[in-house]
Amino acid sequence: MKILVTGGLGYIGSHVTTLLLQNGMEVVVVDNLENTRIDVLDGIESITGKRPNFKQIDVCDSNQLKALFDEFSDIGGIIHFAAHKSVSESVNEPLKYYDNNLGGLQQLLKHALAKAVPFIFSSSCTVYGQSDTLPISENEPLKQATSPYGSTKKIGEQIIEDCCRANPDFNAILLRYFNPVGAHPSAKIGELPKGIPQNLVPYLTQTVKGIRPVLKVFGSSYNTPDGTCIRDYIHVMDLADAHIASLDYLLKNKNTSSCEVYNVGTGRGVSVLELIQTFEEATGEKVPYEFADPRPGDTVSAYADASKIEKIIGWKAKYSLEESLSSSWNWEKNLNS
């Protein structure tokens, strides 16, 4: 049996692929390399001693997907990461996000449903919008998304839920991530954005390294203790482990109709200024930053109630914020060195 990982050379996908290989699974990775590099494969192989099956395809292409499933007829689980992921870009280019994120999901589900292949969906805490309650539990009503990116995750969840209801032998898990940070302890894989980073931590590490002149902190007068946005920053290795635990749970309950939703976070809210201070303390490096206008689509505060996934699947975050940020800096230093 093989596990298909779409977007498997991306930031989260590469760490999940690594853990799958280390757990003795055979992995098929597909990626169109739009936001990553082919040499991530070398990093995965260097860590695990194994190289996953790799196909450079676009999941929106129905002919390429059909050829993939014809070649690997024994795919027994799917973990779906392949999607555009920038909140701010989605505000400016909404059709790009609806076409790619929903089109790719629908093409993939056609094959998953045909053979009742257990399915894990990479969702996001953006589906909650600006929640009225903190920490946010899975029972929190979903609000109007604050960005097209968030809308694609919300609609994607609905599509999968509808498919589960219509297909009694199909099961799925929707993982609502909070904010992934960090890198593999080996510093051989990590977050590798092309162009200007859209996420806080890689922009921060590039600034400290001298690639960017200054870190912009978007918004300084939010209704938070220090005026900056609050997020739940989870180490990517913890997040990857949540996928392994979720896959194991799905495979043990295969051919039973279910669609379960889990938050994946630490349960701790951290402001942008607190994250900067923690980075400086953990690494001994100074972060040059300045305040800028708030970005459209950003929520003010979001952090998880992750008790459900701990109770049912047995997963809990283990890494500290200090460990997460130190690993991000080690990865940055290791790049092109």
Side-chain angles (χ1 to χ4, degrees):
M1 182 182 70
K2 297 178 177 66
I3 305 301
L4 173 63
V5 183
T6 72
L9 297 190
Y11 176 37
I12 304 170
S14 61
H15 289 80
V16 170
T17 296
T18 296
L19 280 190
L20 286 169
L21 291 170
Q22 289 178 325
N23 277 271
M25 307 295 281
E26 190 171 353
V27 183
V28 179
V29 167
V30 302
D31 204 300
N32 66 2
L33 302 181
E34 183 175 332
N35 196 39
T36 188
R37 299 192 312 221
I38 189 65
D39 56 12
V40 174
L41 275 173
D42 298 330
I44 293 171
E45 185 175 18
S46 177
I47 294 167
T48 65
K50 304 173 185 175
R51 197 171 185 89
N53 298 287
F54 174 70
K55 298 292 181 180
Q56 184 177 345
I57 69 171
D58 190 325
V59 293
C60 292
D61 190 312
S62 59
N63 291 328
Q64 290 182 338
L65 268 190
K66 182 181 184 305
L68 177 82
F69 279 89
D70 285 345
E71 180 178 356
F72 299 103
S73 58
D74 58 343
I75 288 173
I78 298 172
I79 305 178
H80 180 44
F81 296 106
H84 297 317
K85 63 177 185 177
S86 168
V87 169
S88 57
E89 182 185 55
S90 76
V91 172
N92 296 321
E93 300 184 63
L95 285 182
K96 175 181 178 180
Y97 277 69
Y98 286 112
D99 284 347
N100 183 78
N101 292 9
L102 298 180
L105 173 63
Q106 291 177 80
Q107 291 296 335
L108 197 58
L109 281 171
K110 292 175 184 178
H111 296 279
L113 293 172
K115 294 186 177 181
V117 180
F119 196 92
I120 296 177
F121 179 58
S122 169
S123 191
S124 166
C125 64
T126 56
V127 300
Y128 296 114
Q130 181 55 63
S131 175
D132 294 327
T133 305
L134 293 170
I136 304 169
S137 78
E138 293 86 352
N139 295 323
E140 187 70 17
L142 303 189
K143 290 187 174 182
Q144 176 71 34
T146 58
S147 69
Y149 165 76
S151 293
T152 66
K153 293 302 184 183
K154 186 176 177 182
I155 296 167
E157 286 192 4
Q158 187 63 61
I159 291 170
I160 297 168
E161 289 171 359
D162 290 341
C163 288
C164 287
R165 278 191 287 269
N167 296 270
D169 57 350
F170 178 63
N171 63 348
I173 285 179
L174 316 177
L175 294 180
R176 292 174 179 166
Y177 313 157
F178 280 68
N179 290 70
V181 293
H184 193 273
S186 67
K188 292 179 178 179
I189 56 172
E191 191 164 7
L192 190 64
K194 286 189 174 181
I196 298 173
Q198 299 294 316
N199 294 332
L200 171 61
V201 172
Y203 202 109
L204 183 155
T205 57
Q206 287 189 12
T207 300
V208 174
K209 196 174 182 180
I211 300 171
R212 310 290 166 192
V214 65
L215 173 67
K216 292 184 177 181
V217 176
F218 296 103
S220 59
S221 57
Y222 286 111
N223 185 24
T224 62
D226 62 19
T228 63
C229 289
I230 291 175
R231 296 289 184 267
D232 186 336
Y233 297 98
I234 176 172
H235 198 300
V236 69
M237 292 302 298
D238 274 331
L239 183 54
D241 190 53
H243 288 79
I244 306 303
S246 296
L247 178 65
D248 183 60
Y249 178 85
L250 278 180
L251 293 175
K252 288 177 179 176
N253 295 278
K254 189 177 178 181
N255 300 124
T256 58
S257 179
S258 66
C259 186
E260 300 183 28
V261 180
Y262 298 101
N263 287 337
V264 188
T266 68
R268 178 189 173 199
V270 176
S271 75
V272 176
L273 289 183
E274 185 181 354
L275 181 139
I276 292 171
Q277 180 182 356
T278 303
F279 179 90
E280 292 180 336
E281 293 172 351
T283 66
E285 301 288 341
K286 189 68 177 174
V287 181
Y289 71 89
E290 64 184 20
F291 291 108
D293 291 336
R295 294 183 301 186
D298 276 346
T299 54
V300 179
S301 298
Y303 54 96
D305 175 349
S307 58
K308 180 181 176 183
I309 191 171
E310 181 180 4
K311 179 180 179 181
I312 296 176
I313 293 183
W315 173 89
K316 185 177 181 179
K318 301 179 180 69
Y319 288 87
S320 68
L321 182 60
E322 290 81 2
E323 290 172 312
S324 300
L325 296 175
S326 293
S327 68
S328 291
W329 179 231
N330 288 337
W331 160 246
E332 185 68 56
K333 289 189 293 182
N334 195 50
L335 281 172
N336 303 317
S337 60

